[in-house]
Amino acid sequence: MSTHQAQMPLCQRAFSQLLIIDAQERLAAAMPADELDRVVDNINRLITAAKILDIPVIATQHNSKGLGPIIETIRANMPMVHEPTEKTAFSCCTAPGFERNISSHPDRRQLIVVGMEAHICIAQTVSGLQRWGYQVFVPSDAIISRKTAHKENVLDRMRSCGIQVVCTESVGFEWLGDSTDAQFRDVWSLFK
């Protein structure tokens, strides 16, 4: 079985991994506060849905000595199968250990990418993931940049290059696929 290859691909739980990029405390302090709250809430919704649906969750930290750990409310919600990949390069794809973490699930070729900063680390990572042959989905309401215009610019770039720009709720319901799914109520309740 392969991933959904339609003109508008859908996130499929059997093929998905959730990647949280650099959602760190000191970096968060530089973000627009009202937008940050929404992004953190949406990242946590996706983490919770992923845990309910047995979807792997992977995280990275950029220069944690300078930018601190992952935001406490996100860190507390994460299943710690892998320690966050520590990195100094902007693209996760060049960080030692990152490829091993995402390739530990070889049938999961869809990556849902969330976190900070949209126009730097997220942009460079999704470009690398796409080169590696992954199908990449970016929930626009679960990523952030210090300046909204930078985020909007990179979302336009992503769309024009085949990255699937989606929203958090779409991901949750695409993972479910059917209202008769045994986990429907648990996931649906995250979006009420």
Side-chain angles (χ1 to χ4, degrees):
M1 187 180 283
S2 64
T3 57
H4 195 293
Q5 296 298 322
Q7 187 66 26
M8 189 182 86
L10 301 175
C11 300
Q12 297 178 58
R13 95 172 88 173
F15 303 122
S16 290
Q17 298 183 68
L18 177 63
L19 171 58
I20 304 161
I21 296 178
D22 307 346
Q24 293 166 254
E25 291 176 353
R26 290 188 201 125
L27 191 54
M31 301 297 154
D34 56 335
E35 194 176 343
L36 178 66
D37 290 343
R38 180 176 47 82
V39 167
V40 169
D41 286 348
N42 285 331
I43 291 171
N44 274 322
R45 283 184 182 98
L46 287 172
I47 292 170
T48 302
K51 289 190 303 190
I52 292 167
L53 300 171
D54 294 319
I55 294 167
V57 178
I58 296 165
T60 66
Q61 295 181 147
H62 187 89
N63 182 24
S64 59
K65 288 181 182 171
L67 296 176
I70 293 171
I71 297 166
E72 174 56 34
T73 58
I74 294 173
R75 193 170 63 238
N77 194 22
M78 288 178 55
M80 293 309 291
V81 175
H82 298 288
E83 285 296 313
T85 301
E86 184 69 32
K87 66 186 189 64
T88 57
F90 300 122
S91 173
C92 297
C93 297
T94 61
F98 175 74
E99 186 174 10
R100 180 182 62 248
N101 286 349
I102 64 168
S103 63
S104 65
H105 303 282
D107 295 334
R108 293 182 176 270
R109 302 293 298 173
Q110 291 185 336
L111 278 162
I112 292 74
V113 180
V114 300
M116 303 175 192
E117 266 200 274
H119 65 295
I120 302 173
C121 294
I122 291 175
Q124 292 183 38
T125 299
V126 300
S127 176
L129 292 171
Q130 197 175 44
R131 277 194 314 275
W132 286 353
Y134 285 90
Q135 195 172 47
V136 182
F137 296 80
V138 177
S140 61
D141 56 354
I143 64 171
I144 194 168
S145 290
R146 285 164 290 154
K147 295 184 180 176
T148 303
H150 292 167
K151 173 184 154 181
E152 295 306 320
N153 172 266
V154 80
L155 287 171
D156 288 342
R157 288 177 65 199
M158 288 178 188
R159 286 183 188 101
S160 70
C161 295
I163 303 297
Q164 300 299 309
V165 177
V166 296
C167 66
T168 297
E169 189 167 344
S170 290
V171 174
F173 282 86
E174 288 170 24
W175 280 344
L176 282 169
D178 193 310
S179 63
T180 61
D181 188 287
Q183 284 86 22
F184 171 75
R185 288 205 173 276
D186 292 336
V187 174
W188 171 71
S189 69
L190 301 171
F191 300 100
K192 290 198 314 188

